[in-house]
PDB file of all heavy atoms in Angstrom:
ATOM      1  N   ILE R   3     121.941 127.995  91.414  1.00  0.00           N
ATOM      2  CA  ILE R   3     121.479 128.066  92.805  1.00  0.00           C
ATOM      3  C   ILE R   3     120.374 127.051  93.033  1.00  0.00           C
ATOM      4  O   ILE R   3     120.372 126.305  94.020  1.00  0.00           O
ATOM      5  CB  ILE R   3     120.980 129.491  93.152  1.00  0.00           C
ATOM      6  CG1 ILE R   3     122.077 130.525  92.927  1.00  0.00           C
ATOM      7  CG2 ILE R   3     120.494 129.529  94.602  1.00  0.00           C
ATOM      8  CD1 ILE R   3     121.603 131.965  93.088  1.00  0.00           C
ATOM      9  N   MET R   4     119.393 127.025  92.107  1.00  0.00           N
ATOM     10  CA  MET R   4     118.283 126.086  92.218  1.00  0.00           C
ATOM     11  C   MET R   4     118.783 124.643  92.245  1.00  0.00           C
ATOM     12  O   MET R   4     118.330 123.829  93.042  1.00  0.00           O
ATOM     13  CB  MET R   4     117.308 126.285  91.060  1.00  0.00           C
ATOM     14  CG  MET R   4     116.064 125.424  91.140  1.00  0.00           C
ATOM     15  SD  MET R   4     114.887 125.722  89.785  1.00  0.00           S
ATOM     16  CE  MET R   4     114.105 127.240  90.326  1.00  0.00           C
ATOM     17  N   ASN R   5     119.754 124.336  91.384  1.00  0.00           N
ATOM     18  CA  ASN R   5     120.299 122.981  91.349  1.00  0.00           C
ATOM     19  C   ASN R   5     121.140 122.675  92.588  1.00  0.00           C
ATOM     20  O   ASN R   5     121.127 121.551  93.106  1.00  0.00           O
ATOM     21  CB  ASN R   5     121.148 122.795  90.087  1.00  0.00           C
ATOM     22  CG  ASN R   5     120.300 122.735  88.834  1.00  0.00           C
ATOM     23  OD1 ASN R   5     119.086 122.569  88.890  1.00  0.00           O
ATOM     24  ND2 ASN R   5     120.934 122.874  87.684  1.00  0.00           N
ATOM     25  N   GLY R   6     121.892 123.676  93.051  1.00  0.00           N
ATOM     26  CA  GLY R   6     122.671 123.492  94.278  1.00  0.00           C
ATOM     27  C   GLY R   6     121.775 123.196  95.462  1.00  0.00           C
ATOM     28  O   GLY R   6     122.096 122.355  96.321  1.00  0.00           O
ATOM     29  N   TYR R   7     120.642 123.873  95.530  1.00  0.00           N
ATOM     30  CA  TYR R   7     119.666 123.666  96.600  1.00  0.00           C
ATOM     31  C   TYR R   7     119.174 122.219  96.584  1.00  0.00           C
ATOM     32  O   TYR R   7     119.100 121.552  97.621  1.00  0.00           O
ATOM     33  CB  TYR R   7     118.497 124.622  96.388  1.00  0.00           C
ATOM     34  CG  TYR R   7     117.701 125.016  97.610  1.00  0.00           C
ATOM     35  CD1 TYR R   7     117.983 126.195  98.303  1.00  0.00           C
ATOM     36  CD2 TYR R   7     116.622 124.257  98.056  1.00  0.00           C
ATOM     37  CE1 TYR R   7     117.222 126.590  99.400  1.00  0.00           C
ATOM     38  CE2 TYR R   7     115.859 124.630  99.141  1.00  0.00           C
ATOM     39  CZ  TYR R   7     116.168 125.809  99.821  1.00  0.00           C
ATOM     40  OH  TYR R   7     115.414 126.197 100.906  1.00  0.00           O
ATOM     41  N   GLU R   8     118.868 121.728  95.388  1.00  0.00           N
ATOM     42  CA  GLU R   8     118.410 120.344  95.251  1.00  0.00           C
ATOM     43  C   GLU R   8     119.504 119.356  95.666  1.00  0.00           C
ATOM     44  O   GLU R   8     119.237 118.382  96.390  1.00  0.00           O
ATOM     45  CB  GLU R   8     117.992 120.064  93.814  1.00  0.00           C
ATOM     46  CG  GLU R   8     117.543 118.624  93.599  1.00  0.00           C
ATOM     47  CD  GLU R   8     117.140 118.318  92.172  1.00  0.00           C
ATOM     48  OE1 GLU R   8     117.519 119.082  91.271  1.00  0.00           O
ATOM     49  OE2 GLU R   8     116.441 117.300  91.980  1.00  0.00           O
ATOM     50  N   ASP R   9     120.732 119.595  95.211  1.00  0.00           N
ATOM     51  CA  ASP R   9     121.831 118.686  95.534  1.00  0.00           C
ATOM     52  C   ASP R   9     122.064 118.609  97.043  1.00  0.00           C
ATOM     53  O   ASP R   9     122.294 117.531  97.602  1.00  0.00           O
ATOM     54  CB  ASP R   9     123.112 119.131  94.834  1.00  0.00           C
ATOM     55  CG  ASP R   9     123.042 118.955  93.320  1.00  0.00           C
ATOM     56  OD1 ASP R   9     122.197 118.164  92.848  1.00  0.00           O
ATOM     57  OD2 ASP R   9     123.830 119.623  92.617  1.00  0.00           O
ATOM     58  N   GLY R  10     122.021 119.774  97.709  1.00  0.00           N
ATOM     59  CA  GLY R  10     122.199 119.795  99.158  1.00  0.00           C
ATOM     60  C   GLY R  10     121.072 119.075  99.874  1.00  0.00           C
ATOM     61  O   GLY R  10     121.299 118.320 100.823  1.00  0.00           O
ATOM     62  N   ALA R  11     119.839 119.318  99.410  1.00  0.00           N
ATOM     63  CA  ALA R  11     118.684 118.666 100.029  1.00  0.00           C
ATOM     64  C   ALA R  11     118.785 117.155  99.911  1.00  0.00           C
ATOM     65  O   ALA R  11     118.494 116.411 100.858  1.00  0.00           O
ATOM     66  CB  ALA R  11     117.403 119.166  99.379  1.00  0.00           C
ATOM     67  N   LYS R  12     119.234 116.685  98.740  1.00  0.00           N
ATOM     68  CA  LYS R  12     119.300 115.238  98.515  1.00  0.00           C
ATOM     69  C   LYS R  12     120.475 114.577  99.234  1.00  0.00           C
ATOM     70  O   LYS R  12     120.485 113.352  99.404  1.00  0.00           O
ATOM     71  CB  LYS R  12     119.330 114.946  97.019  1.00  0.00           C
ATOM     72  CG  LYS R  12     117.976 115.207  96.370  1.00  0.00           C
ATOM     73  CD  LYS R  12     117.907 114.768  94.929  1.00  0.00           C
ATOM     74  CE  LYS R  12     116.468 114.910  94.414  1.00  0.00           C
ATOM     75  NZ  LYS R  12     116.346 114.521  92.989  1.00  0.00           N
ATOM     76  N   GLU R  13     121.451 115.374  99.669  1.00  0.00           N
ATOM     77  CA  GLU R  13     122.488 114.779 100.520  1.00  0.00           C
ATOM     78  C   GLU R  13     121.886 114.381 101.857  1.00  0.00           C
ATOM     79  O   GLU R  13     122.258 113.367 102.452  1.00  0.00           O
ATOM     80  CB  GLU R  13     123.650 115.752 100.743  1.00  0.00           C
ATOM     81  CG  GLU R  13     124.687 115.183 101.696  1.00  0.00           C
ATOM     82  CD  GLU R  13     125.940 116.034 101.855  1.00  0.00           C
ATOM     83  OE1 GLU R  13     126.325 116.728 100.893  1.00  0.00           O
ATOM     84  OE2 GLU R  13     126.536 115.984 102.940  1.00  0.00           O
ATOM     85  N   VAL R  14     120.951 115.194 102.333  1.00  0.00           N
ATOM     86  CA  VAL R  14     120.305 114.927 103.619  1.00  0.00           C
ATOM     87  C   VAL R  14     119.181 113.900 103.471  1.00  0.00           C
ATOM     88  O   VAL R  14     119.013 113.003 104.304  1.00  0.00           O
ATOM     89  CB  VAL R  14     119.760 116.240 104.226  1.00  0.00           C
ATOM     90  CG1 VAL R  14     118.954 115.959 105.496  1.00  0.00           C
ATOM     91  CG2 VAL R  14     120.909 117.194 104.523  1.00  0.00           C
ATOM     92  N   ASN R  15     118.394 114.042 102.408  1.00  0.00           N
ATOM     93  CA  ASN R  15     117.260 113.140 102.167  1.00  0.00           C
ATOM     94  C   ASN R  15     117.188 112.821 100.675  1.00  0.00           C
ATOM     95  O   ASN R  15     116.613 113.590  99.892  1.00  0.00           O
ATOM     96  CB  ASN R  15     115.955 113.783 102.636  1.00  0.00           C
ATOM     97  CG  ASN R  15     114.734 112.902 102.369  1.00  0.00           C
ATOM     98  OD1 ASN R  15     114.863 111.780 101.873  1.00  0.00           O
ATOM     99  ND2 ASN R  15     113.555 113.404 102.691  1.00  0.00           N
ATOM    100  N   PRO R  16     117.776 111.703 100.254  1.00  0.00           N
ATOM    101  CA  PRO R  16     117.812 111.351  98.828  1.00  0.00           C
ATOM    102  C   PRO R  16     116.431 111.227  98.193  1.00  0.00           C
ATOM    103  O   PRO R  16     116.298 111.354  96.973  1.00  0.00           O
ATOM    104  CB  PRO R  16     118.537 109.993  98.817  1.00  0.00           C
ATOM    105  CG  PRO R  16     119.322 109.977 100.085  1.00  0.00           C
ATOM    106  CD  PRO R  16     118.490 110.720 101.086  1.00  0.00           C
ATOM    107  N   ASP R  17     115.400 110.999  99.002  1.00  0.00           N
ATOM    108  CA  ASP R  17     114.050 110.798  98.472  1.00  0.00           C
ATOM    109  C   ASP R  17     113.171 112.040  98.560  1.00  0.00           C
ATOM    110  O   ASP R  17     111.958 111.968  98.329  1.00  0.00           O
ATOM    111  CB  ASP R  17     113.364 109.651  99.228  1.00  0.00           C
ATOM    112  CG  ASP R  17     114.096 108.327  99.061  1.00  0.00           C
ATOM    113  OD1 ASP R  17     114.560 108.050  97.935  1.00  0.00           O
ATOM    114  OD2 ASP R  17     114.225 107.593 100.059  1.00  0.00           O
ATOM    115  N   ILE R  18     113.763 113.178  98.873  1.00  0.00           N
ATOM    116  CA  ILE R  18     112.958 114.381  99.058  1.00  0.00           C
ATOM    117  C   ILE R  18     112.257 114.794  97.765  1.00  0.00           C
ATOM    118  O   ILE R  18     112.778 114.610  96.659  1.00  0.00           O
ATOM    119  CB  ILE R  18     113.827 115.543  99.590  1.00  0.00           C
ATOM    120  CG1 ILE R  18     112.949 116.610 100.228  1.00  0.00           C
ATOM    121  CG2 ILE R  18     114.710 116.136  98.476  1.00  0.00           C
ATOM    122  CD1 ILE R  18     113.678 117.487 101.228  1.00  0.00           C
ATOM    123  N   ASN R  19     111.041 115.288  97.903  1.00  0.00           N
ATOM    124  CA  ASN R  19     110.286 115.800  96.757  1.00  0.00           C
ATOM    125  C   ASN R  19     110.617 117.286  96.609  1.00  0.00           C
ATOM    126  O   ASN R  19     110.403 118.070  97.530  1.00  0.00           O
ATOM    127  CB  ASN R  19     108.787 115.604  96.986  1.00  0.00           C
ATOM    128  CG  ASN R  19     107.965 116.049  95.785  1.00  0.00           C
ATOM    129  OD1 ASN R  19     108.410 115.935  94.643  1.00  0.00           O
ATOM    130  ND2 ASN R  19     106.787 116.570  96.040  1.00  0.00           N
ATOM    131  N   TYR R  20     111.149 117.660  95.455  1.00  0.00           N
ATOM    132  CA  TYR R  20     111.645 119.027  95.235  1.00  0.00           C
ATOM    133  C   TYR R  20     110.824 119.683  94.127  1.00  0.00           C
ATOM    134  O   TYR R  20     110.931 119.337  92.959  1.00  0.00           O
ATOM    135  CB  TYR R  20     113.125 118.967  94.844  1.00  0.00           C
ATOM    136  CG  TYR R  20     113.826 120.297  94.715  1.00  0.00           C
ATOM    137  CD1 TYR R  20     113.829 121.223  95.748  1.00  0.00           C
ATOM    138  CD2 TYR R  20     114.529 120.614  93.545  1.00  0.00           C
ATOM    139  CE1 TYR R  20     114.499 122.424  95.632  1.00  0.00           C
ATOM    140  CE2 TYR R  20     115.208 121.816  93.422  1.00  0.00           C
ATOM    141  CZ  TYR R  20     115.194 122.727  94.471  1.00  0.00           C
ATOM    142  OH  TYR R  20     115.870 123.918  94.340  1.00  0.00           O
ATOM    143  N   GLN R  21     109.998 120.647  94.499  1.00  0.00           N
ATOM    144  CA  GLN R  21     109.167 121.372  93.548  1.00  0.00           C
ATOM    145  C   GLN R  21     109.857 122.680  93.147  1.00  0.00           C
ATOM    146  O   GLN R  21     110.427 123.360  94.012  1.00  0.00           O
ATOM    147  CB  GLN R  21     107.811 121.704  94.165  1.00  0.00           C
ATOM    148  CG  GLN R  21     107.024 120.511  94.662  1.00  0.00           C
ATOM    149  CD  GLN R  21     105.705 120.948  95.273  1.00  0.00           C
ATOM    150  OE1 GLN R  21     104.831 121.498  94.604  1.00  0.00           O
ATOM    151  NE2 GLN R  21     105.551 120.710  96.576  1.00  0.00           N
ATOM    152  N   THR R  22     109.789 123.034  91.885  1.00  0.00           N
ATOM    153  CA  THR R  22     110.401 124.291  91.434  1.00  0.00           C
ATOM    154  C   THR R  22     109.458 125.071  90.531  1.00  0.00           C
ATOM    155  O   THR R  22     108.565 124.495  89.897  1.00  0.00           O
ATOM    156  CB  THR R  22     111.704 124.043  90.651  1.00  0.00           C
ATOM    157  OG1 THR R  22     111.408 123.348  89.435  1.00  0.00           O
ATOM    158  CG2 THR R  22     112.695 123.228  91.471  1.00  0.00           C
ATOM    159  N   ALA R  23     109.685 126.367  90.469  1.00  0.00           N
ATOM    160  CA  ALA R  23     108.910 127.225  89.567  1.00  0.00           C
ATOM    161  C   ALA R  23     109.761 128.396  89.108  1.00  0.00           C
ATOM    162  O   ALA R  23     110.515 128.970  89.900  1.00  0.00           O
ATOM    163  CB  ALA R  23     107.662 127.753  90.274  1.00  0.00           C
ATOM    164  N   TRP R  24     109.653 128.727  87.822  1.00  0.00           N
ATOM    165  CA  TRP R  24     110.217 129.967  87.281  1.00  0.00           C
ATOM    166  C   TRP R  24     109.030 130.888  87.010  1.00  0.00           C
ATOM    167  O   TRP R  24     108.145 130.556  86.230  1.00  0.00           O
ATOM    168  CB  TRP R  24     110.981 129.704  85.980  1.00  0.00           C
ATOM    169  CG  TRP R  24     112.200 128.851  86.158  1.00  0.00           C
ATOM    170  CD1 TRP R  24     112.337 127.524  85.870  1.00  0.00           C
ATOM    171  CD2 TRP R  24     113.466 129.272  86.672  1.00  0.00           C
ATOM    172  NE1 TRP R  24     113.600 127.081  86.172  1.00  0.00           N
ATOM    173  CE2 TRP R  24     114.320 128.142  86.668  1.00  0.00           C
ATOM    174  CE3 TRP R  24     113.963 130.491  87.142  1.00  0.00           C
ATOM    175  CZ2 TRP R  24     115.639 128.187  87.111  1.00  0.00           C
ATOM    176  CZ3 TRP R  24     115.269 130.538  87.583  1.00  0.00           C
ATOM    177  CH2 TRP R  24     116.101 129.408  87.561  1.00  0.00           C
ATOM    178  N   THR R  25     108.995 132.040  87.658  1.00  0.00           N
ATOM    179  CA  THR R  25     107.829 132.916  87.521  1.00  0.00           C
ATOM    180  C   THR R  25     107.894 133.814  86.292  1.00  0.00           C
ATOM    181  O   THR R  25     106.882 134.327  85.851  1.00  0.00           O
ATOM    182  CB  THR R  25     107.677 133.819  88.759  1.00  0.00           C
ATOM    183  OG1 THR R  25     108.772 134.746  88.803  1.00  0.00           O
ATOM    184  CG2 THR R  25     107.643 132.990  90.031  1.00  0.00           C
ATOM    185  N   GLY R  26     109.101 134.042  85.767  1.00  0.00           N
ATOM    186  CA  GLY R  26     109.239 134.930  84.615  1.00  0.00           C
ATOM    187  C   GLY R  26     109.389 136.395  84.973  1.00  0.00           C
ATOM    188  O   GLY R  26     109.385 137.254  84.104  1.00  0.00           O
ATOM    189  N   SER R  27     109.548 136.710  86.257  1.00  0.00           N
ATOM    190  CA  SER R  27     109.664 138.109  86.680  1.00  0.00           C
ATOM    191  C   SER R  27     110.613 138.230  87.862  1.00  0.00           C
ATOM    192  O   SER R  27     110.607 137.396  88.773  1.00  0.00           O
ATOM    193  CB  SER R  27     108.301 138.666  87.077  1.00  0.00           C
ATOM    194  OG  SER R  27     108.423 139.950  87.670  1.00  0.00           O
ATOM    195  N   PHE R  28     111.406 139.305  87.856  1.00  0.00           N
ATOM    196  CA  PHE R  28     112.283 139.608  88.984  1.00  0.00           C
ATOM    197  C   PHE R  28     111.577 140.431  90.054  1.00  0.00           C
ATOM    198  O   PHE R  28     112.076 140.558  91.165  1.00  0.00           O
ATOM    199  CB  PHE R  28     113.506 140.404  88.506  1.00  0.00           C
ATOM    200  CG  PHE R  28     114.470 139.603  87.664  1.00  0.00           C
ATOM    201  CD1 PHE R  28     114.447 139.714  86.290  1.00  0.00           C
ATOM    202  CD2 PHE R  28     115.383 138.742  88.241  1.00  0.00           C
ATOM    203  CE1 PHE R  28     115.331 138.989  85.495  1.00  0.00           C
ATOM    204  CE2 PHE R  28     116.265 138.005  87.466  1.00  0.00           C
ATOM    205  CZ  PHE R  28     116.236 138.127  86.092  1.00  0.00           C
ATOM    206  N   THR R  29     110.435 141.022  89.725  1.00  0.00           N
ATOM    207  CA  THR R  29     109.823 142.007  90.616  1.00  0.00           C
ATOM    208  C   THR R  29     108.388 141.711  91.019  1.00  0.00           C
ATOM    209  O   THR R  29     107.877 142.346  91.939  1.00  0.00           O
ATOM    210  CB  THR R  29     109.844 143.400  89.947  1.00  0.00           C
ATOM    211  OG1 THR R  29     109.160 143.334  88.688  1.00  0.00           O
ATOM    212  CG2 THR R  29     111.277 143.872  89.716  1.00  0.00           C
ATOM    213  N   ASP R  30     107.713 140.769  90.369  1.00  0.00           N
ATOM    214  CA  ASP R  30     106.298 140.517  90.643  1.00  0.00           C
ATOM    215  C   ASP R  30     106.150 139.635  91.880  1.00  0.00           C
ATOM    216  O   ASP R  30     106.197 138.409  91.808  1.00  0.00           O
ATOM    217  CB  ASP R  30     105.641 139.859  89.422  1.00  0.00           C
ATOM    218  CG  ASP R  30     104.122 139.883  89.506  1.00  0.00           C
ATOM    219  OD1 ASP R  30     103.588 139.767  90.629  1.00  0.00           O
ATOM    220  OD2 ASP R  30     103.468 140.020  88.447  1.00  0.00           O
ATOM    221  N   THR R  31     105.930 140.266  93.031  1.00  0.00           N
ATOM    222  CA  THR R  31     105.818 139.530  94.286  1.00  0.00           C
ATOM    223  C   THR R  31     104.556 138.672  94.328  1.00  0.00           C
ATOM    224  O   THR R  31     104.562 137.582  94.917  1.00  0.00           O
ATOM    225  CB  THR R  31     105.826 140.493  95.487  1.00  0.00           C
ATOM    226  OG1 THR R  31     104.767 141.444  95.329  1.00  0.00           O
ATOM    227  CG2 THR R  31     107.155 141.234  95.583  1.00  0.00           C
ATOM    228  N   ALA R  32     103.487 139.148  93.697  1.00  0.00           N
ATOM    229  CA  ALA R  32     102.233 138.387  93.702  1.00  0.00           C
ATOM    230  C   ALA R  32     102.400 137.066  92.963  1.00  0.00           C
ATOM    231  O   ALA R  32     101.871 136.028  93.373  1.00  0.00           O
ATOM    232  CB  ALA R  32     101.115 139.217  93.073  1.00  0.00           C
ATOM    233  N   LEU R  33     103.148 137.104  91.860  1.00  0.00           N
ATOM    234  CA  LEU R  33     103.367 135.907  91.063  1.00  0.00           C
ATOM    235  C   LEU R  33     104.179 134.875  91.847  1.00  0.00           C
ATOM    236  O   LEU R  33     103.878 133.677  91.830  1.00  0.00           O
ATOM    237  CB  LEU R  33     104.099 136.286  89.774  1.00  0.00           C
ATOM    238  CG  LEU R  33     103.857 135.441  88.522  1.00  0.00           C
ATOM    239  CD1 LEU R  33     102.383 135.344  88.204  1.00  0.00           C
ATOM    240  CD2 LEU R  33     104.612 136.039  87.345  1.00  0.00           C
ATOM    241  N   ALA R  34     105.210 135.337  92.555  1.00  0.00           N
ATOM    242  CA  ALA R  34     106.029 134.423  93.361  1.00  0.00           C
ATOM    243  C   ALA R  34     105.233 133.866  94.540  1.00  0.00           C
ATOM    244  O   ALA R  34     105.378 132.682  94.896  1.00  0.00           O
ATOM    245  CB  ALA R  34     107.269 135.146  93.864  1.00  0.00           C
ATOM    246  N   LYS R  35     104.385 134.689  95.113  1.00  0.00           N
ATOM    247  CA  LYS R  35     103.552 134.206  96.228  1.00  0.00           C
ATOM    248  C   LYS R  35     102.582 133.141  95.740  1.00  0.00           C
ATOM    249  O   LYS R  35     102.354 132.127  96.403  1.00  0.00           O
ATOM    250  CB  LYS R  35     102.792 135.368  96.860  1.00  0.00           C
ATOM    251  CG  LYS R  35     102.042 134.972  98.124  1.00  0.00           C
ATOM    252  CD  LYS R  35     101.456 136.179  98.847  1.00  0.00           C
ATOM    253  CE  LYS R  35     100.822 135.738 100.172  1.00  0.00           C
ATOM    254  NZ  LYS R  35     100.293 136.889 100.949  1.00  0.00           N
ATOM    255  N   GLU R  36     102.022 133.361  94.563  1.00  0.00           N
ATOM    256  CA  GLU R  36     101.109 132.384  93.973  1.00  0.00           C
ATOM    257  C   GLU R  36     101.809 131.043  93.726  1.00  0.00           C
ATOM    258  O   GLU R  36     101.268 129.974  94.020  1.00  0.00           O
ATOM    259  CB  GLU R  36     100.564 132.937  92.654  1.00  0.00           C
ATOM    260  CG  GLU R  36      99.648 131.997  91.899  1.00  0.00           C
ATOM    261  CD  GLU R  36      99.267 132.542  90.540  1.00  0.00           C
ATOM    262  OE1 GLU R  36      99.292 133.775  90.353  1.00  0.00           O
ATOM    263  OE2 GLU R  36      98.957 131.726  89.640  1.00  0.00           O
ATOM    264  N   ALA R  37     103.034 131.120  93.194  1.00  0.00           N
ATOM    265  CA  ALA R  37     103.803 129.907  92.924  1.00  0.00           C
ATOM    266  C   ALA R  37     104.121 129.167  94.218  1.00  0.00           C
ATOM    267  O   ALA R  37     104.008 127.936  94.296  1.00  0.00           O
ATOM    268  CB  ALA R  37     105.084 130.250  92.180  1.00  0.00           C
ATOM    269  N   ALA R  38     104.536 129.917  95.239  1.00  0.00           N
ATOM    270  CA  ALA R  38     104.851 129.298  96.528  1.00  0.00           C
ATOM    271  C   ALA R  38     103.618 128.675  97.164  1.00  0.00           C
ATOM    272  O   ALA R  38     103.681 127.581  97.738  1.00  0.00           O
ATOM    273  CB  ALA R  38     105.467 130.331  97.468  1.00  0.00           C
ATOM    274  N   GLN R  39     102.497 129.358  97.061  1.00  0.00           N
ATOM    275  CA  GLN R  39     101.270 128.834  97.651  1.00  0.00           C
ATOM    276  C   GLN R  39     100.854 127.525  96.987  1.00  0.00           C
ATOM    277  O   GLN R  39     100.377 126.594  97.649  1.00  0.00           O
ATOM    278  CB  GLN R  39     100.142 129.863  97.536  1.00  0.00           C
ATOM    279  CG  GLN R  39      98.874 129.469  98.284  1.00  0.00           C
ATOM    280  CD  GLN R  39      99.121 129.288  99.769  1.00  0.00           C
ATOM    281  OE1 GLN R  39      99.651 130.178 100.438  1.00  0.00           O
ATOM    282  NE2 GLN R  39      98.760 128.120 100.324  1.00  0.00           N
ATOM    283  N   ALA R  40     101.055 127.442  95.673  1.00  0.00           N
ATOM    284  CA  ALA R  40     100.736 126.199  94.959  1.00  0.00           C
ATOM    285  C   ALA R  40     101.602 125.049  95.481  1.00  0.00           C
ATOM    286  O   ALA R  40     101.127 123.906  95.617  1.00  0.00           O
ATOM    287  CB  ALA R  40     100.946 126.379  93.459  1.00  0.00           C
ATOM    288  N   MET R  41     102.878 125.343  95.778  1.00  0.00           N
ATOM    289  CA  MET R  41     103.762 124.315  96.333  1.00  0.00           C
ATOM    290  C   MET R  41     103.325 123.910  97.735  1.00  0.00           C
ATOM    291  O   MET R  41     103.343 122.726  98.087  1.00  0.00           O
ATOM    292  CB  MET R  41     105.199 124.847  96.362  1.00  0.00           C
ATOM    293  CG  MET R  41     105.797 125.074  95.000  1.00  0.00           C
ATOM    294  SD  MET R  41     107.425 125.837  95.141  1.00  0.00           S
ATOM    295  CE  MET R  41     107.877 125.953  93.404  1.00  0.00           C
ATOM    296  N   ILE R  42     102.944 124.900  98.532  1.00  0.00           N
ATOM    297  CA  ILE R  42     102.471 124.629  99.891  1.00  0.00           C
ATOM    298  C   ILE R  42     101.212 123.772  99.847  1.00  0.00           C
ATOM    299  O   ILE R  42     101.063 122.804 100.612  1.00  0.00           O
ATOM    300  CB  ILE R  42     102.225 125.957 100.637  1.00  0.00           C
ATOM    301  CG1 ILE R  42     103.561 126.682 100.875  1.00  0.00           C
ATOM    302  CG2 ILE R  42     101.508 125.714 101.959  1.00  0.00           C
ATOM    303  CD1 ILE R  42     103.419 128.109 101.351  1.00  0.00           C
ATOM    304  N   ASP R  43     100.307 124.107  98.935  1.00  0.00           N
ATOM    305  CA  ASP R  43      99.082 123.309  98.772  1.00  0.00           C
ATOM    306  C   ASP R  43      99.401 121.882  98.345  1.00  0.00           C
ATOM    307  O   ASP R  43      98.619 120.961  98.588  1.00  0.00           O
ATOM    308  CB  ASP R  43      98.165 123.960  97.728  1.00  0.00           C
ATOM    309  CG  ASP R  43      97.597 125.298  98.199  1.00  0.00           C
ATOM    310  OD1 ASP R  43      97.642 125.567  99.420  1.00  0.00           O
ATOM    311  OD2 ASP R  43      97.123 126.075  97.348  1.00  0.00           O
ATOM    312  N   ASN R  44     100.574 121.710  97.717  1.00  0.00           N
ATOM    313  CA  ASN R  44     100.997 120.389  97.250  1.00  0.00           C
ATOM    314  C   ASN R  44     101.925 119.687  98.254  1.00  0.00           C
ATOM    315  O   ASN R  44     102.595 118.728  97.922  1.00  0.00           O
ATOM    316  CB  ASN R  44     101.697 120.521  95.893  1.00  0.00           C
ATOM    317  CG  ASN R  44     101.800 119.198  95.155  1.00  0.00           C
ATOM    318  OD1 ASN R  44     100.896 118.378  95.190  1.00  0.00           O
ATOM    319  ND2 ASN R  44     102.926 118.988  94.487  1.00  0.00           N
ATOM    320  N   GLY R  45     101.982 120.228  99.487  1.00  0.00           N
ATOM    321  CA  GLY R  45     102.681 119.537 100.550  1.00  0.00           C
ATOM    322  C   GLY R  45     104.024 120.081 100.983  1.00  0.00           C
ATOM    323  O   GLY R  45     104.617 119.586 101.943  1.00  0.00           O
TER     324      GLY R  45
END
């Protein structure tokens, strides 16, 4: 899914910056929010 997302994004914008994170948990919402916030802080 993660790779499919990247492939689709690059069809539209080949130069897009694609940030990813594996949090290590299926249920820890705080951890996922932290990861997303770091990406948002990075643009």
Side-chain angles (χ1 to χ4, degrees):
I3 302 173
M4 184 178 282
N5 289 346
Y7 206 95
E8 178 181 18
D9 291 340
K12 288 187 173 179
E13 176 174 329
V14 174
N15 178 3
D17 298 320
I18 200 157
N19 183 33
Y20 186 55
Q21 303 179 64
T22 65
W24 295 102
T25 67
S27 172
F28 290 100
T29 57
D30 194 325
T31 56
L33 210 54
K35 187 172 185 177
E36 177 186 335
Q39 187 60 54
M41 293 175 179
I42 293 169
D43 292 343
N44 197 38

